[in-house]
Amino acid sequence: YIVYLFSSVLLSNELTFNTLWGNCTFINQSNSLSSKQITQIINLEIQKMYNTHGPIPINNFTILIADSKSIASKHPHWKWSLGITYHSPDKIILKDPALSKISWSKFQKVIAHELNHIMLNRIQYRHTIPRWFKEGVAMKTANEISMYHKLRIASNTNNQSLFNLSDYNNFKDMNKQEFNFAYALSSASILLLEKIYGENTIERIISYLIGGKSFQESFYNATGTKIENFNN
C-alpha cells in the first residue's frame, strides 16, 4: 500500500530540494500549509541535528503531508499517530494539522520528531537500538516531553510490571493506552539517563552509534555501565 500511496498523490504538489542528509522529495496534500514554509522548517530541523550530532550517511528521502484519514490506514498505529517514519527507503507521512486537529507549533514538533527517526535509522547498527530510546530521543529533540508524560508515570507507579524497560525494546501489538504509556516511559527514561550520567549522555551515546558501535557498546562507552544495570 505504500507504493500505491506515493504513486497516487498529485504530482503538482511535489517538489524536491537539497538538505544536509540528501535530496528530499516533499509532497504536500494540504490546502492550508505553505510548501515553502514547511521545507524551511525541514531544513532548519535537519541543520539543528547536524549541528548537534554531526553528519550522517547521505540518502534521498520523501516527506508526505496527508489530508486523508484513509492514508496508511493499514498501519496499526495510524489512527492515533500524528506521523509515521519508514526505513529503506526513507519516508515520513505526516497528518495534515487540519486533519489531526493540532496547533501549528505542535505540528513543527512532529516534523522534528519524525526527522529524528530518519537520522537514527541511518545508523549502521540501528537494529540494536531499542524503541524506547528512539522514541525518547525523538521526543527530547522535538521538545515534546511534558508534564502529561510525567503524570502518566506517576499514576502507574504501583504497577511495577509496567516498568520493565526491556519490554519496550519494540512497541508491537500495543493498543492506544499502552502506546501512550510506552511514550511516557521512553521520555522518562531519557530524562533519567541524563540525571544519572550527565546532561550530554544522549549526545554521547548517539556519537558512538554514528561512529559504528552497537547500542550496547555505545551505552557502556557513554555511561560506564551496562544497559542491564540501567534497566534494573
Side-chain angles (χ1 to χ4, degrees):
Y1 68 96
I2 291 297
V3 173
Y4 172 77
L5 165 66
F6 282 91
S7 62
S8 62
V9 295
L10 297 175
L11 295 180
S12 60
N13 293 332
E14 178 181 318
L15 63 91
T16 299
F17 60 97
N18 183 256
T19 78
L20 291 168
W21 292 352
N23 288 333
C24 174
T25 298
F26 177 61
I27 305 167
N28 186 7
Q29 291 187 336
S30 172
N31 292 319
S32 58
L33 296 176
S34 162
S35 294
K36 180 179 180 181
Q37 191 174 19
I38 299 297
T39 55
Q40 287 175 341
I41 291 171
I42 292 169
N43 265 320
L44 176 63
E45 294 300 333
I46 289 175
Q47 182 70 61
K48 288 179 183 177
M49 289 180 231
Y50 184 94
N51 292 344
T52 301
H53 304 293
I56 61 172
I58 301 296
N59 207 345
N60 296 335
F61 60 103
T62 302
I63 296 179
L64 165 68
I65 297 180
D67 67 349
S68 170
K69 292 181 180 179
S70 64
I71 295 294
S73 60
K74 292 183 180 180
H75 193 288
H77 299 153
W78 179 249
K79 289 182 179 180
W80 62 80
S81 294
L82 300 176
I84 296 177
T85 299
Y86 297 90
H87 173 65
S88 190
D90 293 338
K91 301 183 184 79
I92 294 174
I93 306 175
L94 302 167
K95 281 183 181 174
D96 185 340
L99 182 66
S100 56
K101 303 295 190 295
I102 61 173
S103 66
W104 170 244
S105 60
K106 173 62 177 176
F107 184 67
Q108 293 182 67
K109 292 181 180 181
V110 176
I111 293 175
H113 182 114
E114 300 304 328
L115 284 171
N116 192 268
H117 286 320
I118 292 283
M119 182 187 74
L120 292 183
N121 283 343
R122 297 221 181 142
I123 288 172
Q124 181 181 0
Y125 293 108
R126 61 187 174 276
H127 60 280
T128 69
I129 306 174
R131 182 71 182 274
W132 65 262
F133 184 82
K134 290 181 179 180
E135 296 300 342
V137 170
M139 293 173 73
K140 177 179 182 288
T141 299
N143 195 28
E144 291 177 306
I145 301 175
S146 68
M147 184 58 68
Y148 165 81
H149 301 104
K150 297 173 184 179
L151 290 174
R152 293 279 304 196
I153 295 296
S155 63
N156 286 279
T157 51
N158 290 329
N159 189 351
Q160 292 299 307
S161 64
L162 292 177
F163 291 86
N164 185 356
L165 198 57
S166 61
D167 289 342
Y168 300 89
N169 287 344
N170 62 68
F171 289 5
K172 291 182 180 179
D173 303 319
M174 288 185 176
N175 58 38
K176 184 177 181 180
Q177 183 177 359
E178 293 168 335
F179 196 75
N180 287 337
F181 181 79
Y183 267 79
L185 188 63
S186 298
S187 63
S189 299
I190 294 301
L191 295 178
L192 188 59
L193 269 173
E194 295 190 327
K195 184 174 183 179
I196 296 174
Y197 305 111
E199 62 180 14
N200 294 321
T201 300
I202 304 306
E203 286 77 9
R204 295 198 302 271
I205 292 174
I206 293 176
S207 176
Y208 285 115
L209 284 166
I210 293 175
K213 296 188 180 298
S214 70
F215 179 76
Q216 290 77 9
E217 292 173 314
S218 299
F219 188 94
Y220 182 82
N221 288 347
T223 66
T225 190
K226 294 182 178 179
I227 182 64
E228 292 80 10
N229 294 332
F230 177 68
N231 287 349
N232 291 335

